[in-house]
Amino acid sequence: GENVEQHPSTLSVQEGDSAVIKCTYSDSASNYFPWYKQELGKRPQLIIDIRSNVGEKKDQRIAVTLNKTAKHFSLHITETQPEDSAVYFCAAMRGAQKLVFGQGTRLTINP
Amino acid sequence: GAVVSQHPSWVICKSGTSVKIECRSLDFQATTMFWYRQFPKQSLMLMATSNEGSKATYEQGVEKDKFLINHASLTLSTLTVTSAHPEDSSFYICSARGGQEQFFGPGTRLTVL
């Protein structure tokens, strides 16, 4: 089955700098890769997703890149702000099957 | 995006009692819902996939007799934790699938005394 590895587990950046979180997946047939942001005690919220027919997707300060050959995808947050502090999860899914989550990255933005 | 509600948001119960958690898709029909469990500072662990009108599919290591799942309609799935024990204390989150996207409920924090 699918296995998703996420790095780093914690990340601390200065406000205004960029943050990058990376994930690798094992199932070459996976075709949907969402990223979720979860604040303490709250539900995961979808912040961006990418499908396998696209290499990059951007939404304001957030971008995701996908390398199907290497089976990895990354989340890029630019001009970070204190409200970006949260736990971020990547996930991978094949067709209409279940999501497989990475281990999560705790992002802290230092003012 | 689509809205998924979950009830209750928190519950405290005595050891040995059963607790039912409801997950509703408010503005769309979901043939498939998922139940996750999340321990502090850890990722979401899928417990089972709930399919409307059929039996749930449980992940390896999840006791189906302890975590009863019912998906009786296209907008409601329930998780019942039977004979709860302190080790069942956790954050339980449901999600409903719309296309490939999954929309998460706000979670239920269960504390078993």
Side-chain angles (χ1 to χ4, degrees), chain A residues 32-69:
Chain A
Y32 177 63
F33 308 92
W35 285 88
Y36 292 90
K37 175 183 180 182
Q38 187 179 30
E39 297 178 359
L40 188 62
K42 298 191 175 180
R43 78 183 84 195
Q45 291 198 309
L46 179 70
I47 56 172
I48 196 166
D49 58 11
I50 192 168
R51 288 176 170 78
S52 58
N53 58 348
V54 176
E56 184 174 357
K57 184 176 178 181
K58 190 174 181 180
D59 182 4
Q60 298 182 338
R61 297 186 297 109
I62 295 173
V64 57
T65 58
L66 171 65
N67 184 325
K68 285 191 295 183
T69 303

Side-chain angles (χ1 to χ4, degrees), chain A residues 31-32 36 38 41-46 49 51 89 93-99 101-104 106, chain B residues 3-5 34 36 38 41-44 46 49 59 91 93 97 99-102 104-107 109:
Chain A
N31 61 356
Y32 177 63
Y36 292 90
Q38 187 179 30
K42 298 191 175 180
R43 78 183 84 195
Q45 291 198 309
L46 179 70
D49 58 11
R51 288 176 170 78
F89 293 100
M93 185 164 77
R94 172 180 181 174
Q97 296 184 8
K98 58 189 179 184
L99 278 174
F101 285 87
Q103 296 85 350
R106 182 170 299 277
Chain B
V3 180
V4 176
S5 71
F34 302 88
Y36 296 86
Q38 188 176 33
K41 298 186 178 181
Q42 292 191 22
S43 189
L44 289 83
L46 180 65
T49 301
E59 294 299 301
F91 192 52
I93 308 176
R97 185 162 68 202
Q100 270 193 311
E101 287 189 46
Q102 281 192 31
F104 286 86
R109 185 160 302 283

